[in-house]
């Protein structure tokens, strides 16, 4: 784990881990899945950065790679586009930033992670670093381990196999051994990507049909969201840590409005 963290420290002056966790955790995912920075990833990042930078909807390079990568690995596509946003943010300050991203990815690729258990431990190590570096602005995405352990213990005691998890954060509730059907929602794009990587590292996304964590707003339940919830018809329990950092107002004080889940 120290070798991974040494890479983080090496580039922390350019990309502080607490600000750009997807760059590091996403690179671990891409490297473990066998993507090569020398071709598809670098080209995607460059093309997507151009798309982000000038809104070029006719960017054929990005459109082509977007389709190909998405079909191959939808999560990889989301990671790449997220990294491209980072590159875009820094382009105006440093035109060599793509080279830095390339070097960072190569350094992470050189840290050999071959086994699933080693991959899981690496992702958990980096995820814990996010927790340790959490600020007040990220408090709604982080919760104490003790709370997670308590809830997961209760899920096991009551033999809960199907779970709906709004405000999912890093999807800690999905890691309970007995959970077979899971629908989570997390509004923060970066956190939802990291949560999906975490689920992958724990083997939860592989060959499990009803295991899904969406980048969605649990406070704005639409018809599409309700339809998806209905698809997970075996859901036995809903559990969530309230987003304590979120301020919201109720649309009405009439209790009759809240007789259905859509009312909330």
């Amino acid at each position: 784990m120290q070798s991974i963290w040494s890479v983080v420290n090496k580039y922390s002056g350019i990309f502080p881990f607490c600000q750009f966790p997807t760059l590091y955790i996403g690179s671990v995912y891409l490297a473990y899945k066998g993507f090569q920075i020398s071709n598809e990833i670098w080209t995607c990042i460059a093309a997507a950065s151009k798309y982000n930078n000038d809104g070029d909807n006719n960017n054929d390079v990005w459109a082509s790679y977007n389709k190909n990568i998405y079909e191959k690995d939808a999560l990889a596509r989301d990671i790449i586009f997220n990294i491209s946003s980072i590159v875009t943010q820094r382009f105006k300050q440093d035109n060599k930033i793509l080279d830095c991203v390339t070097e960072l990815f190569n350094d992470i690729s050189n840290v050999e992670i071959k086994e699933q258990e080693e991959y899981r431990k690496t992702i958990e190590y980096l995820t814990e670093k996010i927790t340790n570096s959490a600020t007040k602005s990220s408090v709604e995405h982080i919760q104490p381990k003790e709370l997670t352990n308590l809830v997961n213990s209760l899920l096991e005691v009551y033999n809960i196999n199907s779970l709906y998890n709004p405000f999912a954060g890093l999807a800690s509730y999905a890691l309970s051994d007995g959970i077979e059907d899971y629908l989570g929602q997390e509004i923060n794009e970066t956190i939802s990507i990291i949560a999906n990587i975490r689920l992958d590292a724990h083997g939860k996304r592989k060959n499990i049909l009803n295991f899904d964590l969406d980048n969605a707003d649990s406070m704005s339940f639409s018809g599409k969201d309700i339809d998806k919830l209905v698809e997970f018809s075996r859901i036995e329990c809903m559990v969530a840590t309230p987003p304590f950092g979120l301020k919201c107002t109720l649309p009405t004080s009439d209790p009759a409005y809240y007789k259905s889940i859509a009312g909330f």
Side-chain angles (χ1 to χ4, degrees):
M1 303 305 167
Q2 291 301 320
S3 54
I4 282 289
W5 195 244
S6 66
V7 175
V8 175
N9 287 331
K10 178 179 178 180
Y11 295 95
S12 60
I14 304 172
F15 301 115
F17 180 76
C18 60
Q19 296 179 32
F20 305 108
T22 317
L23 181 57
Y24 299 98
I25 297 177
S27 292
V28 171
Y29 175 88
L30 294 172
Y32 181 73
K33 296 299 181 180
F35 287 88
Q36 300 296 318
I37 193 69
S38 59
N39 43 64
E40 55 208 296
I41 300 300
W42 197 96
T43 305
C44 276
I45 290 173
S49 297
K50 185 177 186 300
Y51 176 88
N52 278 329
N53 213 28
D54 57 21
D56 182 8
N57 290 308
N58 296 316
N59 187 337
D60 293 335
V61 175
W62 168 243
S64 175
Y65 273 90
N66 178 26
K67 182 176 184 297
N68 292 336
I69 293 293
Y70 190 85
E71 290 177 351
K72 181 178 180 180
D73 187 330
L75 181 53
R77 182 267 183 197
D78 292 340
I79 293 168
I80 292 166
F81 200 77
N82 188 275
I83 292 176
S84 76
S85 299
I86 296 172
V87 172
T88 301
Q89 293 170 13
R90 295 279 178 160
F91 250 139
K92 295 178 181 179
Q93 302 177 31
D94 186 352
N95 290 330
K96 295 183 178 180
I97 206 68
L98 272 175
D99 293 335
C100 291
V101 173
T102 302
E103 292 173 10
L104 184 154
F105 183 87
N106 284 333
D107 284 348
I108 287 180
S109 297
N110 289 332
V111 179
E112 293 189 1
I113 303 174
K114 296 181 178 180
E115 303 296 330
Q116 175 75 23
E117 180 62 14
E118 190 176 5
Y119 168 48
R120 184 193 67 80
K121 288 181 177 179
T122 300
I123 296 301
E124 281 302 302
Y125 175 79
L126 293 176
T127 301
E128 186 173 350
K129 291 293 185 181
I130 297 176
T131 305
N132 294 340
S133 63
T135 62
K136 289 182 179 180
S137 62
S138 62
V139 70
E140 63 264 33
H141 309 297
I142 307 298
Q143 67 186 24
K145 284 184 178 180
E146 294 80 4
L147 179 58
T148 300
N149 293 338
L150 172 63
V151 173
N152 282 342
S153 296
L154 290 173
L155 293 174
E156 292 175 10
V157 166
Y158 288 97
N159 196 29
I160 299 298
N161 302 121
S162 303
L163 185 68
Y164 168 50
N165 182 200
F167 317 110
L170 293 170
S172 296
Y173 294 139
L175 304 182
S176 178
D177 291 337
I179 299 300
E180 298 173 356
D181 294 314
Y182 174 84
L183 174 60
Q185 294 171 319
E186 171 52 47
I187 191 172
N188 182 287
E189 179 185 5
T190 295
I191 296 297
S192 69
I193 288 174
I194 294 173
N196 272 296
I197 294 173
R198 194 180 185 201
L199 293 179
D200 181 79
H202 282 264
K204 292 287 189 176
R205 297 178 74 246
K206 184 178 181 180
N207 298 327
I208 300 180
L209 180 62
N210 287 342
F211 226 89
D212 198 6
L213 192 149
D214 293 335
N215 177 210
D217 183 2
S218 300
M219 295 293 291
S220 301
F221 236 83
S222 66
K224 181 180 178 182
D225 296 320
I226 294 174
D227 289 342
K228 190 162 191 178
L229 186 58
V230 171
E231 288 179 15
F232 284 71
S233 56
R234 293 190 294 161
I235 291 294
E236 301 169 329
C237 178
M238 180 179 78
V239 62
T241 301
F244 296 112
L246 179 67
K247 292 183 178 179
C248 61
T249 57
L250 297 176
T252 176
S253 59
D254 183 4
Y257 181 81
Y258 302 105
K259 288 185 176 181
S260 69
I261 194 169
F264 285 92

